[in-house]
Amino acid sequence: MIADEASTEFHAFFERHHSELARLAYLLTGEPDAADDLAADAMLALWHRWDRVRRADHPLAYARGVVANLARGRVRSAVRERRRVLLFWQHRTDRVDNPDVASVVDVRSALARLPLRKRACVVLRHAFDLSEKDTALALGISVGTVKSQTAKGMAELEKLLGARVGAELTGRRR
């Protein structure tokens, strides 16, 4: 089998970035099993458009955007499924109103509580240490939206985790 230049480039891209894209998918969905699947689906989508992607100014940013879109679709699907399950079990009488949620909330569960765009901005900015511009490029949104969504997401995380923990996450001092 003779590998052409595009195949070689894609293989190198895959080797360099697959694990990072899987980690991004994990942080966006909170599902370790889904992370590899989403990264693989993203790579397949990239392969199908590789001629266009390889000519792009920022192929990795494009790839991150694909992962974010696939994660968004997965999250939306999960929300729809939860709604269907809730409708099905709504008639049960052993529901608990006002459950005691005074337990410690870890970062992953706190991130899972954020809306996807805020979560994506916070994860890309702080976990992946991307600039506002690179985050905007990856998500297909403006730099101003990245700034506001990141600030709002961090404020929500600080409420969920406490101000001290939120400051530690971002390296800020209070």
Side-chain angles (χ1 to χ4, degrees):
M1 181 169 122
I2 299 173
D4 61 355
E5 185 180 335
S7 296
T8 303
E9 281 181 21
F10 179 79
H11 181 74
F13 182 87
F14 180 94
E15 291 295 322
R16 271 193 319 273
H17 302 295
H18 179 267
S19 62
E20 175 186 341
L21 295 174
R23 190 171 57 137
L24 172 61
Y26 171 68
L27 290 170
L28 293 176
T29 64
E31 301 174 25
D33 295 334
D36 285 330
D37 291 343
L38 287 174
D41 290 347
M43 285 296 189
L44 182 61
L46 292 170
W47 171 245
H48 287 296
R49 297 182 204 97
W50 187 244
D51 285 341
R52 192 173 349 147
V53 173
R54 70 193 273 218
R55 290 190 306 263
D57 290 336
H58 305 285
L60 181 57
Y62 184 88
R64 289 178 180 136
V66 171
V67 170
N69 286 334
L70 290 171
R72 182 180 304 117
R74 184 171 184 85
V75 168
R76 286 179 178 161
S77 177
V79 167
R80 284 191 300 273
E81 181 64 22
R82 271 182 257 160
R83 286 182 184 150
R84 285 194 287 275
V85 168
L86 283 174
L87 285 173
F88 180 77
W89 291 104
Q90 208 170 23
H91 67 280
R92 293 184 57 169
T93 58
D94 59 344
R95 289 193 354 207
V96 177
D97 292 325
N98 301 321
D100 181 20
V101 194
S103 62
V104 176
V105 179
D106 67 358
V107 174
R108 283 187 314 200
S109 66
L111 277 172
R113 293 173 143 187
L114 295 179
L116 185 66
R117 183 178 282 180
K118 287 180 188 171
R119 184 181 333 145
C121 287
V122 168
V123 166
L124 288 172
R125 290 282 293 125
H126 296 291
F128 282 79
D129 202 27
L130 293 185
S131 68
E132 291 164 342
K133 181 180 176 184
D134 289 341
T135 301
L137 192 61
L139 298 176
I141 58 178
S142 71
V143 172
T145 302
V146 169
K147 289 178 181 181
S148 68
Q149 292 294 293
T150 302
K152 290 175 183 176
M154 288 307 300
E156 287 182 38
L157 284 176
E158 286 180 0
K159 284 181 189 173
L160 293 168
L161 299 170
R164 185 184 59 74
V165 175
E168 287 175 13
L169 287 174
T170 61
R172 294 184 310 212
R173 299 275 181 228
R174 288 212 181 238

